[in-house]
Amino acid sequence: MIRPKYFNFQLLGIVAIIVFVLVAKWQFLVLPSYWDEAYPYAYAIQYQVQNGISLLPDAMPADYSTGHPTLYYFLQAGWNSFVGGDMMFQRIFPLLIACLTLISLFIFTKRFFNIRIALFSVALLASRNVFFVQSSFQLPEMLIALLTILTLFSYLEKKMLAYIVFCSLLLWCKEPCYMIPFGIVLFEFFTLIMKKTSAVATIKSLVVVLIPVSVGFLFFLIQKIQLGWFFFPRHINGVSSDLLLIYERLKEYLKFILYYEDRKSTRLNSSHLVISYAVFCLKK
């Protein structure tokens, strides 16, 4: 049973972090769209607002959707239709999703670690530049983060119906999200092998875990029927199997993330990680 003072400490900690994010972000909600948010996302969302909101691939021009699954476009367009053209009110929707992401991370880490790790994890995420900046962007990243946490939580808690729902929604956000169920499949497979589970039981477990993949693939099947291709041709043309090119791209991405884009907060969050690890080691 949770003691009252412990409950108050938990509530105060998570509320304080969320209030800090909201207060710090409020002045930036009026800023115009930037980078990918400006094009193609803003164009795609506005097109749906003006021409009808839909989850179907042909709900907007292909140059706007660039072949991505349409769940976020659908939700943001629905919100924008309700609040109108004011940028500040439009940005409240992804900011609310970001707050739910922090709450979900708190619940997740508290369930599998402890209250101290939970609060440190939420503070760590909230202090990251990439989270702080994108928490009010009209982009799918906050929704992806939220659904990823809910998917992993549902799977680890063995709530398979919730897992299927959250993971299916996740796969209707963006193509890279397929790494989550595929990673879970590998984990499930090796876990069952180590437990020496029968072949029939193993296949049944893997089929259940893979159900969201079939739901997610429905989007690309519909896209093939409506537009004539599974994946956006421009994206496919940029794919290369040249190992040297892959290495150079990976090196540039890491350099951008760890040095050019976020070098100050990287050092700060390294300190956070050390503190979090120390707290974890002190866990009773």
Side-chain angles (χ1 to χ4, degrees):
M1 182 176 179
I2 299 176
R3 293 176 293 180
K5 64 177 183 179
Y6 236 52
F7 173 78
N8 293 336
F9 173 68
Q10 298 174 36
L11 184 61
L12 178 62
I14 190 66
V15 168
I17 294 171
I18 291 176
V19 168
F20 170 79
V21 171
L22 292 175
V23 171
K25 285 294 297 184
W26 198 256
Q27 61 181 318
F28 301 113
L29 297 183
V30 296
L31 293 178
S33 299
Y34 175 74
W35 207 252
D36 283 355
E37 184 191 28
Y39 184 85
Y41 281 93
Y43 278 76
I45 293 166
Q46 187 60 26
Y47 186 91
Q48 285 217 16
V49 171
Q50 295 175 346
N51 297 277
I53 302 168
S54 173
L55 285 167
L56 294 176
D58 66 352
M60 66 201 97
D63 285 339
Y64 292 173
S65 70
T66 61
H68 294 316
T70 52
L71 178 61
Y72 178 75
Y73 300 103
F74 173 84
L75 295 176
Q76 185 70 58
W79 174 271
N80 290 3
S81 297
F82 177 72
V83 301
D86 191 302
M87 180 64 75
M88 184 184 76
F89 289 107
Q90 291 180 0
R91 292 192 181 281
I92 287 177
F93 179 68
L95 188 57
L96 290 175
I97 296 177
C99 291
L100 289 175
T101 301
L102 293 175
I103 294 172
S104 299
L105 178 63
F106 175 80
I107 295 172
F108 182 93
T109 48
K110 179 177 176 293
R111 168 66 180 84
F112 295 105
F113 298 98
N114 61 36
I115 178 62
R116 291 167 294 181
I117 294 295
L119 288 175
F120 270 115
S121 299
V122 173
L124 179 65
L125 177 60
S127 65
R128 289 291 294 174
N129 282 359
V130 66
F131 176 86
F132 184 79
V133 171
Q134 295 198 18
S135 60
S136 61
F137 273 17
Q138 295 185 58
L139 294 173
E141 273 66 26
M142 288 299 105
L143 182 61
I144 290 172
L146 173 62
L147 291 174
T148 297
I149 294 171
L150 294 176
T151 296
L152 294 175
F153 184 83
S154 301
Y155 169 74
L156 294 174
E157 287 287 281
K158 298 303 178 184
K159 297 179 179 179
M160 300 313 293
L161 180 59
Y163 162 78
I164 291 171
V165 171
F166 289 132
C167 192
S168 297
L169 292 174
L170 176 65
L171 298 184
W172 273 70
C173 289
K174 212 168 186 180
E175 295 89 336
C177 298
Y178 280 82
M179 296 300 295
I180 301 299
F182 290 151
I184 290 176
V185 165
L186 289 176
F187 177 80
E188 182 79 4
F189 176 75
F190 287 113
T191 300
L192 293 173
I193 292 298
M194 291 176 63
K195 290 182 178 179
K196 298 182 180 180
T197 308
S198 67
V200 174
T202 299
I203 292 173
K204 286 182 178 179
S205 296
L206 295 179
V207 167
V208 172
V209 173
L210 283 170
I211 287 175
V213 175
S214 61
V215 176
F217 184 72
L218 282 176
F219 172 82
F220 298 103
L221 183 60
I222 297 171
Q223 187 158 257
K224 174 66 175 177
I225 295 171
Q226 291 184 338
L227 303 179
W229 35 263
F230 287 106
F231 303 105
F232 193 51
R234 190 172 70 218
H235 293 167
I236 295 298
N237 292 336
V239 175
S240 173
S241 59
D242 188 324
L243 294 180
L244 181 59
L245 180 59
I246 293 173
Y247 170 75
E248 290 298 326
R249 286 180 176 177
L250 180 60
K251 186 170 66 173
E252 288 302 314
Y253 293 153
L254 291 175
K255 187 185 297 183
F256 178 82
I257 294 171
L258 299 177
Y259 184 74
Y260 293 121
E261 176 72 7
D262 218 11
R263 55 185 174 182
K264 292 182 179 179
S265 66
T266 297
R267 291 194 293 268
L268 175 63
N269 287 321
S270 296
S271 301
H272 286 179
L273 286 172
V274 171
I275 295 172
S276 299
Y277 180 72
V279 173
F280 177 74
C281 291
L282 292 175
K283 178 182 176 182
K284 294 182 179 180

